[in-house]
């Protein structure tokens, strides 16, 4: 009879682990969106409501976290750039192209600036 309890405990641990991982990713995105372009692991864990050890259990370092976020968001932001070209005159098509690219870059601005800030900090 103890076997089902053990399985439930393992599943519960796995679920908590996944919730912690998701909270870390969400907290990082919230900090970036709030203007903190180079958050520390401590700031992220405080925002996520998890321990610092939990951060490093899930992510080896900030690079690993940023790579995970990039993989997590890649499909969404690639779609921003894969908009079909509108019909119409060259002027209409260019205006549509510029508008869709402007929207895409505006949505990704903080993420791109964060990546640059992280690279600068890593090089220092």
């Amino acid at each position: 009879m103890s076997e089902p309890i053990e399985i439930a405990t393992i599943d519960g641990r796995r679920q908590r682990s996944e919730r912690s991982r998701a909270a870390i990713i969400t907290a990082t995105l919230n900090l970036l969106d709030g203007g903190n372009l180079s958050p520390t692991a401590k700031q992220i864990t405080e925002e996520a409501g998890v321990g610092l050890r939990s951060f490093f259990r899930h992510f080896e370092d900030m690079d690993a976290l940023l790579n995970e976020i990039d993989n997590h968001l890649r499909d969404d932001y690639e779609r921003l750039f894969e908009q079909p070209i509108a019909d119409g005159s060259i002027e209409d098509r260019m205006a549509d192209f510029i508008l869709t690219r402007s929207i895409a870059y505006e949505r990704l601005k903080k993420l791109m600036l964060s990546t640059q800030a992280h690279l600068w900090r890593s090089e220092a």
Side-chain angles (χ1 to χ4, degrees):
M1 285 193 145
S2 65
E3 195 171 323
I5 294 170
E6 186 177 326
I7 292 170
T9 303
I10 292 170
D11 288 343
R13 286 182 196 150
R14 191 170 295 135
Q15 289 173 347
R16 281 191 303 277
S17 177
E18 288 302 314
R19 281 194 303 267
S20 292
R21 185 179 184 84
I24 291 166
I25 291 170
T26 300
T28 304
L29 291 171
N30 288 342
L31 289 167
L32 295 175
D33 194 44
N36 184 346
L37 300 180
S38 192
T40 64
K42 186 175 191 279
Q43 291 169 324
I44 292 167
T45 57
E46 287 173 356
E47 176 78 15
V50 301
L52 192 57
R53 291 174 80 186
S54 183
F55 178 95
F56 289 105
R57 221 176 280 127
H58 292 288
F59 303 100
E60 183 177 319
D61 54 21
M62 289 300 292
D63 285 335
L65 172 60
L66 294 174
N67 285 334
E68 179 69 23
I69 289 173
D70 183 57
N71 291 335
H72 182 72
L73 296 176
R74 182 172 291 139
D75 289 340
D76 290 337
Y77 63 70
E78 282 181 352
R79 271 187 239 121
L80 294 172
F81 293 94
E82 294 175 349
Q83 299 294 324
I85 297 174
D87 292 331
S89 68
I90 187 73
E91 291 84 9
D92 291 341
R93 289 183 287 155
M94 288 298 297
D96 184 62
F97 179 83
I98 292 168
L99 178 63
T100 58
R101 290 305 189 270
S102 297
I103 291 168
Y105 283 117
E106 189 62 34
R107 286 189 56 196
L108 296 172
K109 176 174 65 178
K110 289 182 181 172
L111 186 60
M112 290 185 297
L113 289 172
S114 171
T115 301
Q116 191 64 43
H118 179 73
L119 290 173
W120 287 333
R121 196 167 81 184
S122 295
E123 292 174 357

